[in-house]
Amino acid sequence: MVTGNRSAEQWLSLVRSGMIAEDNFRFSGSVVMGFEDGVALAPFAFQGEIEAHKQIALHAEQSSSFVHNPVNELEFIADHAEQSEIVYNGLDESKERNIVVLNVKLNEQAVTERWKDQLQQELNNVSLQAIASAKEEGKHLALVQQEADHAQRELEQMLQQLKVSAQYEITIDTVRAVELEMKELVNMNYMKDGAMIKEYRKSNITFDLTPDQVVR
């Protein structure tokens, strides 16, 4: 049993180790994205499985979901946490177990660079698929290449002034030192056509760490 009066940083380190040690578990969640002017995109759900410490399945209702293996996500959070605090320590709502809830704010430079890499990789994948399809069909190759080049220029313009912040609320089982739930809030600010765009992403992941529930 994990006991003692620990800091938020110590709990974050413990849960990181606890999740790495978990062989098999399921996770599921949802993502909502939108803009600060009130426009929201349709939410989508995802689910996945970890077996033998590896992600063996990930099903998302949106292809460009940017949903990661949650163990890798937790490692990124632990490596780039800038501010961490305990916001709750006690029994959960069902009063069946003790939990600790952390609020963690990440280093903005690290988060921004990560999102720049992800957005560039996503565009690369989409462009390569479109070009390969055009080559296979033997038509519209020049047009597809032109559109890919235009998209690349637009992305480069966006990335020049992109700033991303991220914070997480992590619920931990204090007995097993494993993650029960993780809420993410990402805010992205960038320029487009001379206007400042403010975009957000909210996700909520829950974990099923019962080994006999994990199936292929």
Side-chain angles (χ1 to χ4, degrees):
M1 180 178 293
V2 179
T3 59
N5 185 21
R6 291 181 166 83
S7 67
E9 292 77 13
Q10 288 172 325
W11 275 116
L12 189 56
S13 178
L14 277 171
V15 74
R16 175 186 188 175
S17 300
M19 293 302 288
I20 290 174
E22 287 291 324
D23 287 329
N24 307 313
F25 62 89
R26 280 181 171 178
F27 60 93
S28 61
S30 60
V31 176
V32 177
M33 296 184 291
F35 302 88
E36 284 195 4
D37 61 7
V39 178
L41 305 180
F44 64 90
F46 61 88
Q47 57 183 346
E49 298 176 14
I50 303 294
E51 184 175 283
H53 308 289
K54 295 181 180 180
Q55 183 169 297
I56 62 169
L58 175 62
H59 309 285
E61 294 177 353
Q62 182 173 309
S63 58
S64 57
S65 60
F66 300 111
V67 176
H68 303 277
N69 179 322
V71 176
N72 296 341
E73 188 75 6
L74 187 58
E75 289 191 320
F76 182 83
I77 294 169
D79 287 339
H80 300 286
E82 193 167 75
Q83 296 177 7
S84 304
E85 64 174 331
I86 297 173
V87 294
Y88 181 78
N89 188 350
L91 292 173
D92 64 6
E93 292 183 356
S94 66
K95 297 184 179 180
E96 293 181 353
R97 57 190 166 193
N98 288 306
I99 61 171
V100 163
V101 181
L102 307 181
N103 189 290
V104 184
K105 181 179 179 181
L106 304 193
N107 177 275
E108 288 192 6
Q109 183 176 352
V111 175
T112 299
E113 290 302 318
R114 187 192 197 198
W115 272 95
K116 284 182 177 181
D117 291 342
Q118 290 179 155
L119 292 169
Q120 182 63 68
Q121 187 60 53
E122 176 64 19
L123 179 59
N124 290 347
N125 293 339
V126 171
S127 297
L128 287 173
Q129 290 173 10
I131 292 170
S133 179
K135 286 181 177 179
E136 185 176 343
E137 295 175 3
K139 57 183 180 181
H140 306 309
L141 178 58
L143 179 60
V144 170
Q145 183 65 63
Q146 183 179 348
E147 291 178 347
D149 292 341
H150 177 69
Q152 179 61 39
R153 289 193 296 271
E154 284 197 327
L155 179 62
E156 288 174 357
Q157 181 184 23
M158 171 190 173
L159 296 185
Q160 283 180 0
Q161 300 187 48
L162 177 67
K163 292 185 178 179
V164 187
S165 63
Q167 62 182 23
Y168 295 81
E169 183 181 282
I170 301 171
T171 302
I172 303 168
D173 182 327
T174 61
V175 174
R176 296 178 59 187
V178 292
E179 201 170 12
L180 300 174
E181 184 178 19
M182 180 166 65
K183 297 179 180 179
E184 172 197 54
L185 172 60
V186 173
N187 289 300
M188 306 175 67
N189 298 337
Y190 55 91
M191 297 294 295
K192 184 175 182 180
D193 299 327
M196 175 61 72
I197 306 297
K198 296 185 177 182
E199 188 175 341
Y200 68 84
R201 168 192 168 99
K202 297 178 181 178
S203 67
N204 185 19
I205 306 176
T206 56
F207 299 86
D208 179 359
L209 293 118
T210 309
D212 58 6
Q213 294 298 313
V214 177
V215 295
R216 279 187 177 271

